[in-house]
Amino acid sequence: LLDAGSSLPFKSNSAHYVKTNEMYDDLPSKILVRTGSKIAEVSVKPGKRKVELERKYSEAKLGSLPFSAEAISLMEQIPEGYEIPINFGAARNLQEVNRILSRDSFSQMQFYDYGFADLLEIGATPKTFWNEFLAREYGGQWTIDVNFPFLSLVANSLGMNLSTEPISEYLSR
């Protein structure tokens, strides 16, 4: 079993294909929210009723995290008060996958996960509904949506191409 959040035990440029399924939603993430020009971190914990989450906002300390510039850039585009997952663990794993992928024209990574594909989904969803369903318990484990716009910024900074498509489109081919 590999720790997906740490260095992968493979040589650089040695893999042609990497495939994962519902892994990025389980890697370490932070939930951020923009309030005016400030970015806060949202701490969540289970409430008295299982489906309810208690939230607490505190100053976000992003400077030491990988890809913090990409996270800040993205948060500046987010409507105020929307809680947004920033999948730092997934970004770190994407960086490792980029390191081990061969530089030939047919090497690729495919990953299947759930989340939101673009920023338009955020504003089209009422804030209270959006914020309530980002983090949830599933089978005794907490999981969080994958922020594909953030991972796209990360991929671009690594010189990778990232494209997304709904699973229904993928399965219909």
Side-chain angles (χ1 to χ4, degrees), residues 32-41 58-60 62 71-81:
L32 302 180
V33 64
R34 188 176 63 75
T35 55
S37 62
K38 297 184 187 241
I39 298 173
E41 182 174 348
S58 60
E59 180 185 350
L62 303 175
I72 292 167
S73 170
L74 182 81
M75 289 306 297
E76 290 171 347
Q77 302 173 57
I78 302 299
E80 189 168 338

Side-chain angles (χ1 to χ4, degrees), residues 45-93:
K45 67 177 188 171
K48 291 179 174 69
R49 290 179 286 154
K50 204 170 190 177
V51 296
E52 166 189 305
L53 292 175
E54 292 180 13
R55 292 170 158 71
K56 183 177 116 184
Y57 289 8
S58 60
E59 180 185 350
K61 296 180 172 98
L62 303 175
S64 64
L65 293 170
F67 307 106
S68 60
E70 288 80 0
I72 292 167
S73 170
L74 182 81
M75 289 306 297
E76 290 171 347
Q77 302 173 57
I78 302 299
E80 189 168 338
Y82 279 80
E83 298 173 359
I84 304 299
I86 303 292
N87 312 97
F88 288 109
R92 177 72 180 103
N93 180 264

Side-chain angles (χ1 to χ4, degrees), residues 67-117:
F67 307 106
S68 60
E70 288 80 0
I72 292 167
S73 170
L74 182 81
M75 289 306 297
E76 290 171 347
Q77 302 173 57
I78 302 299
E80 189 168 338
Y82 279 80
E83 298 173 359
I84 304 299
I86 303 292
N87 312 97
F88 288 109
R92 177 72 180 103
N93 180 264
L94 194 60
Q95 182 179 35
E96 274 299 293
V97 168
N98 185 52
R99 180 187 64 79
I100 68 169
L101 276 176
S102 177
R103 298 298 179 236
D104 55 42
S105 61
F106 59 87
S107 291
Q108 67 173 323
M109 175 189 190
Q110 242 180 350
F111 65 95
Y112 305 95
D113 233 309
Y114 58 90
F116 55 99

Side-chain angles (χ1 to χ4, degrees), residues 5-23:
S6 64
S7 295
L8 298 174
F10 303 104
K11 293 179 183 177
S12 295
N13 305 319
S14 64
H16 292 288
Y17 185 68
V18 176
K19 184 176 185 176
T20 69
N21 185 38
E22 293 189 13
M23 179 177 83

Side-chain angles (χ1 to χ4, degrees), residues 145-167:
D145 282 352
V146 174
N147 180 337
F148 289 100
F150 170 67
L151 292 184
S152 182
L153 289 174
V154 168
N156 287 338
S157 76
L158 296 170
M160 300 174 78
N161 294 321
L162 181 106
S163 61
T164 60
E165 70 177 321
I167 193 71

